[in-house]
């Protein structure tokens, strides 16, 4: 018994040590990380808004000009475009009062606070883990995409928090607020493909849609106020224009099913590849609708996260931060009774999955995620409570 207790303490201490080590590495190298990650894109775009030029936010020449100014001698000669909706800049607006490297470090601390909030919500809402293995909550600090998000200055930890909140709201039967929070996926518009799944998950769909619509209109209204109505209308064409290797988007290096089809059919027009991806997406919605009457919320919600990351167009390694939510959902559910071997294998695979991104199999990652999502929809193993 003492050895078992000491091993639990060891997991907790090691996880916290990794978090502190990550922060220390970032502190020492903040000037470098601030310029090589995505943070500079958000920071320079927000600087445009702060200077009162929000109407020109999606002008690539202006974005490049601001990036050259904030990066100084580290300027790389090409623009890393800001591709988010303009309300996203409100998150970064207070940081424009600080130089780039200081602003980056402050944002890292902000991400750590968001991570601590997730940790708190997990402990408050996943009682089976809390009773049987509370030290496993600390594994969140070891999850590789979380660490990558901190280094890159990305938004994936915030989106992970929203994903967890949506699940908790579903669990507590609050369809209006689950819809309201779901609209915050506009921070990464490619995640909006999860919304039809979320609609199918609730019986009070009118309340969900009302909450979603109110929040969606508020966020869209903020974007119109910041960058103007015309720029919002032109936003889809801006996304298409910048979804190329010239602007840092190398399709073969992304992780979605779109990239897999491109890998198989590199000479096929991208519009056809998009249609194939869309067709598979519609098929998964149909399958989900058929299966959702017979499965638990835990299994269904987890499947949504897997399928969203598999089928979204623009997915990178740090986006896999969202996988920590189904990891804890399924772990908590698995602790309801005897832990199965299949459950342990599945949960271990979730945790090591992001490391596979480091191998030369990126085009195939969507097949693994999609397969895991389908496995949850068609269970024969893995101890989860059914309806």
């Amino acid at each position: 018994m003492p050895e078992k207790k000491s091993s639990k303490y060891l997991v907790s201490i090691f996880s916290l040590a990794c978090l502190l080590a990550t922060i220390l590495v970032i502190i020492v190298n903040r000037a470098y990380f601030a310029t090589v990650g995505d943070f500079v894109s958000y920071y320079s775009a927000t600087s445009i808004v702060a200077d009162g030029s929000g109407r020109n936010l999606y002008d690539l020449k202006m974005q490049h000009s601001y990036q050259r100014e904030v990066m100084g001698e580290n300027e790389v000669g090409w623009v890393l475009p800001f591709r988010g909706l303009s309300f996203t800049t409100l998150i970064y607006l207070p940081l424009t009062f600080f130089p780039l490297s200081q602003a980056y470090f402050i944002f890292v601390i902000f991400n750590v606070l968001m991570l601590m909030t997730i940790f708190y919500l997990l402990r408050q809402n996943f009682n089976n883990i809390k009773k049987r293995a509370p030290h496993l909550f600390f594994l969140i600090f070891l999850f590789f995409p979380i660490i990558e998000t901190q280094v890159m200055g990305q938004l994936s930890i915030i989106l992970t928090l929203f994903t967890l909140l949506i699940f908790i709201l579903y669990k507590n039967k609050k369809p209006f607020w689950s819809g309201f929070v779901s609209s915050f996926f506009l921070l990464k518009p490619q995640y909006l493909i999860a919304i039809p799944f979320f609609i199918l998950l609730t019986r009070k769909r009118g309340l969900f849609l009302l909450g979603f619509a109110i929040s969606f209109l508020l966020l869209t209204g903020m974007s119109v106020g910041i960058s103007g109505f015309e720029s919002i209308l032109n936003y889809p064409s801006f996304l298409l224009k910048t979804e190329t290797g010239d602007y840092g988007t190398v399709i073969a290096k992304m992780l979605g099913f779109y990239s897999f089809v491109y890998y198989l059919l590199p000479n096929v027009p991208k519009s056809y590849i998009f249609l194939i991806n869309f067709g598979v997406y519609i098929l998964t919605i149909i399958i989900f609708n058929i299966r959702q009457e017979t499965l638990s919320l835990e299994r269904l919600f987890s499947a949504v996260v897997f399928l969203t990351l598999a089928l979204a167009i623009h997915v990178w390694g740090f986006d896999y931060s969202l996988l920590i939510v189904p990891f804890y959902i399924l772990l908590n559910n698995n602790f309801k009774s005897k832990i199965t071997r299949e459950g342990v294998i599945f949960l271990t695979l979730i945790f090591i999955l992001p490391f596979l991104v480091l191998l030369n199999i990126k085009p195939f990652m969507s097949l693994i995620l999609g397969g895991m999502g389908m496995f949850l929809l068609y269970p024969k193993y893995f101890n989860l409570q059914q309806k």
Side-chain angles (χ1 to χ4, degrees):
M1 181 71 82
E3 289 183 6
K4 191 174 181 181
K5 197 168 185 179
S6 63
S7 66
K8 292 180 179 180
Y9 284 127
L10 188 61
V11 170
S12 304
I13 293 170
F14 180 71
S15 301
L16 288 172
C18 285
L19 175 63
L20 292 174
T22 302
I23 296 172
L24 287 173
V25 169
I26 289 173
I27 291 173
V28 173
N29 299 282
R30 62 185 181 277
Y32 172 73
F33 287 141
T35 58
V36 298
D38 294 333
F39 180 79
V40 67
S41 172
Y42 291 104
Y43 180 83
S44 57
T46 305
S47 297
I48 294 173
V49 173
D51 287 345
S53 301
R55 296 296 189 274
N56 299 313
L57 181 59
Y58 299 111
D59 184 326
L60 289 170
K61 289 183 179 179
M62 177 166 283
Q63 285 196 25
H64 191 197
S65 173
Y66 270 76
Q67 284 186 27
R68 288 171 59 188
E69 182 179 341
V70 301
M71 292 178 73
E73 61 183 21
N74 295 310
E75 197 267 321
V76 294
W78 57 281
V79 62
L80 179 64
F82 169 78
R83 306 175 76 247
L85 282 166
S86 48
F87 80 89
T88 308
T89 60
L90 297 176
I91 298 172
Y92 295 85
L93 197 59
L95 302 179
T96 57
F97 293 99
F98 303 91
L100 179 64
S101 62
Q102 292 181 22
Y104 167 76
F105 177 67
I106 293 170
F107 189 72
V108 168
I109 299 302
F110 172 75
N111 263 334
V112 171
L113 293 174
M114 294 298 100
L115 193 56
M116 292 300 180
T117 304
I118 295 171
F119 180 84
Y120 172 78
L121 289 173
L122 289 171
R123 284 185 59 87
Q124 292 297 112
N125 292 277
F126 293 86
N127 291 324
N128 295 327
I129 303 174
K130 190 173 182 179
K131 291 175 182 176
R132 298 183 61 178
H135 60 287
L136 294 181
F137 287 123
F138 289 90
L139 290 178
I140 190 173
F141 303 126
L142 296 178
F143 199 49
F144 184 72
I146 296 287
I147 297 172
E148 186 179 3
T149 297
Q150 291 172 307
V151 173
M152 293 291 288
Q154 262 285 349
L155 293 167
S156 296
I157 292 175
I158 300 172
L159 286 160
T160 301
L161 173 59
F162 287 139
T163 304
L164 178 59
L165 283 172
I166 293 167
F167 172 75
I168 292 170
L169 289 166
Y170 266 110
K171 195 72 176 172
N172 290 293
K173 295 180 170 50
K174 297 183 183 297
F176 174 86
W177 290 109
S178 60
F180 190 91
V181 176
S182 294
S183 74
F184 282 90
F185 275 3
L186 278 169
L187 287 169
K188 296 266 186 165
Q190 63 267 34
Y191 289 170
L192 288 176
I193 67 170
I195 301 304
F197 295 109
F198 287 158
I199 293 171
L200 292 173
L201 268 179
T202 181
R203 296 188 182 281
K204 297 182 179 180
R205 292 169 185 169
L207 283 175
F208 178 93
L209 289 170
L210 177 62
F212 178 81
I214 291 173
S215 184
F216 184 91
L217 290 173
L218 285 172
L219 296 176
T220 305
M222 290 179 192
S223 294
V224 171
I226 292 169
S227 56
F229 188 71
E230 185 177 351
S231 67
I232 300 301
L233 289 178
N234 294 329
Y235 180 67
S237 61
F238 174 81
L239 291 180
L240 290 174
K241 180 180 179 180
T242 54
E243 192 73 9
T244 66
D246 293 336
Y247 298 103
T249 301
V250 181
I251 297 175
K253 292 184 178 180
M254 293 194 295
L255 306 175
F257 184 73
Y258 180 88
S259 303
F260 171 71
V261 179
Y262 179 81
Y263 174 81
L264 293 180
L265 306 169
N267 298 319
V268 171
K270 292 180 182 177
S271 57
Y272 291 172
I273 296 175
F274 175 81
L275 288 174
I276 294 172
N277 193 91
F278 183 73
V280 172
Y281 169 61
I282 295 298
L283 180 61
T284 60
I285 292 176
I286 294 171
I287 293 172
F288 186 88
N289 186 45
I290 293 170
R291 299 296 300 162
Q292 57 98 16
E293 290 294 335
T294 61
L295 301 173
S296 66
L297 172 64
E298 290 85 355
R299 187 182 284 273
L300 290 167
F301 193 92
S302 298
V304 171
V305 177
F306 280 106
L307 295 173
T308 297
L309 291 174
L311 294 171
I313 297 292
H314 195 95
V315 177
W316 297 94
F318 48 77
D319 290 303
Y320 280 13
S321 297
L322 272 66
L323 290 175
I324 204 66
V325 177
F327 173 81
Y328 280 109
I329 290 173
L330 298 175
L331 179 63
N332 187 69
N333 218 34
N334 205 37
F335 272 143
K336 284 182 178 179
S337 56
K338 184 179 178 181
I339 299 173
T340 63
R341 182 183 63 180
E342 291 80 8
V344 172
I345 293 172
F346 194 87
L347 289 166
T348 303
L349 182 56
I350 293 176
F351 212 81
I352 67 173
L353 190 64
F355 291 101
L356 299 180
V357 175
L358 303 176
L359 304 177
N360 193 27
I361 59 169
K362 289 182 180 179
F364 300 94
M365 292 300 295
S366 64
L367 299 185
I368 299 174
L369 258 68
M372 293 175 75
M374 285 298 164
F375 177 79
L376 290 170
L377 294 180
Y378 286 92
K380 289 185 179 180
Y381 307 105
F382 194 41
N383 185 26
L384 282 179
Q385 185 179 18
Q386 303 298 304
K387 283 186 179 180

